[in-house]
Amino acid sequence: MLNFQNLKPLIVENLFSEIHISIPHKKIICLTGPNGHGKTTLLNAIHYAANKSCKVKILKQAEYSSDPVSAGQDRMRQIEAIFCDSCEIDNSKQQLILLDEPGNFLDANNLQKLLNYLKKNGTYLLVVTHDIRLLEHADIIYYLENGNLHKYTGNYRIMQTIRNSQIESSQRLLNQSLRENRKLKRMQTEIAARQSKRTLRTEKWAKGQSIPKSFVNKCREQAQITAAKLEKSSQRKLQVQKTKTTELKERVRDQGRQFIFKFQDFISGAQLEFENVNLKHENKFLWRYDLNMQVSAGTKIGITGENGTGKTTLLNAIAGQLGSVTGAIKVNGNHFYLDQHIQKIPLYKSCRQWLMESGETNISQMNSLAYQAGFSLSDLDSKLETLSQGEKVRIALLFALLNKPSLLLLDEPTNHLDLLARENLITLLKSYTGTMLVVSHDLDLLNRLELDEWVRLNS
């Protein structure tokens, strides 16, 4: 068992502090949680802490080459190199493998290879992932949220069952707390009313009995002191209850948070035409047959195929980054391209500066949509380079929402997204009325998008 105590961020502050995590031998240990809560930061902290006592191999989330054909093939080469290297016997040090989103870019065959490596792993292993297909094989899942690390023994289904129960429990406690708030407010009002009536009754009685004024004043002062004490006690109880209610509201909000933002306006889609299109790799045509196809406005197309069949290269060609492409591609309309590495966003700019370039002139509308997408006003002042990979995908989708393109090009859009953000992505894309081409290995995503056509590429 590898134990890491009091882990803190190496660079980014306030994400978490003094995290404790244990990694047993020859088990599949996964780390998941919402985007932007510090999973990669925690992985880096473990890497730093383990370097002195372990032989550490790490696969970084955004580590890729400039291979023009396939990020998936490149990713698989890196994974194979790590696990083959870990097979070398080194008794001087324990071996630790750290993988950050290893399933990104992988087709079904390569994902199965990855799972085989994980199952046959003979050392210590920690996998950061949002991929349910990997989480289903976990022995232990750690869930990082709001600086707290929660441990679940078992796979994704077991974790979800426990978390759903926790959400229901939090909601019950919140409802109970809200009822207690209302009860305390009623009691506060009733106490003040009773005390006022008692004071008036005493003064009325004193007048009828010819009681000295000094005695009446003394009684009034005593009543006011008693009322003030009761008011103070009541306010203290109410404040404690309000604090408890606020904490419960935040817990319920974080446990079931939803970033629901949709395309509100009808968008007339672009038209596309492919004439004798083919791709070249190492002076050879990638496809046996040229691509000839016409795409009507508003058509939604899913593009699938194994790693290395040219899916990303095709999207690059449509976006005007031609590379080794033959034939002609005609696009009638403006486009927005979310590439699989999120390289198209200007990292040196703030979120607000970039969103202002979308063409949206209504600032309050932009701020409102940003809030619905999970970004506060202070978040918008952050540099794009400081965002997590999942947050970058989300801000890019928000830009597309504001920009209202007639053509959406999406390359593996679920990469990096946490589980809830993935659900919200589906809601967003289903609300889009323009033309859309989606490259993905996520068949569940493609099925739920209710596509008009499917294109499978074969090399």
Side-chain angles (χ1 to χ4, degrees), residues 33-160:
N35 293 134
H37 285 234
K39 299 182 295 298
T40 295
T41 302
L42 178 57
L43 196 75
N44 290 334
I46 293 171
H47 185 194
Y48 178 80
N51 259 333
K52 295 179 181 179
S53 58
C54 299
K55 179 184 177 183
V56 183
K57 289 291 181 180
I58 185 168
L59 176 72
K60 296 183 178 180
Q61 182 177 168
E63 197 169 59
Y64 48 84
S65 73
S66 57
D67 188 322
V69 176
S70 173
Q73 289 176 325
D74 183 55
R75 193 72 165 167
M76 199 63 222
R77 283 197 293 265
Q78 296 174 42
I79 291 169
E80 289 172 341
I82 286 174
F83 280 97
C84 289
D85 185 56
S86 69
C87 294
E88 297 177 6
I89 299 175
D90 184 356
N91 295 323
S92 62
K93 282 187 175 183
Q94 294 171 313
Q95 297 186 65
L96 172 63
I97 294 176
L98 304 173
L99 306 176
D100 199 351
E101 295 289 3
N104 283 357
F105 318 118
L106 299 185
D107 61 26
N109 290 334
N110 281 328
L111 185 76
Q112 187 57 53
K113 288 181 183 178
L114 169 62
L115 281 171
N116 292 339
Y117 278 125
L118 299 182
K119 292 174 182 178
K120 295 176 182 178
N121 168 55
T123 182
Y124 297 95
L125 172 71
L126 179 63
V127 184
V128 172
T129 185
H130 298 117
D131 195 324
I132 297 175
R133 297 168 298 179
L134 298 182
L135 291 170
E136 280 290 5
H137 295 273
D139 297 299
I140 295 172
I141 298 176
Y142 286 102
Y143 194 95
L144 182 60
E145 183 177 38
N146 294 325
N148 298 309
L149 190 66
H150 308 278
K151 180 181 178 180
Y152 300 92
T153 301
N155 63 10
Y156 173 77
R157 293 180 190 177
I158 293 172
M159 181 191 76
Q160 281 300 94

Side-chain angles (χ1 to χ4, degrees), residues 17-51:
S17 63
E18 299 183 354
I19 288 282
H20 310 295
I21 187 169
S22 299
I23 304 175
H25 195 228
K26 296 183 179 180
K27 299 291 183 181
I28 300 176
I29 314 301
C30 291
L31 172 62
T32 192
N35 293 134
H37 285 234
K39 299 182 295 298
T40 295
T41 302
L42 178 57
L43 196 75
N44 290 334
I46 293 171
H47 185 194
Y48 178 80
N51 259 333

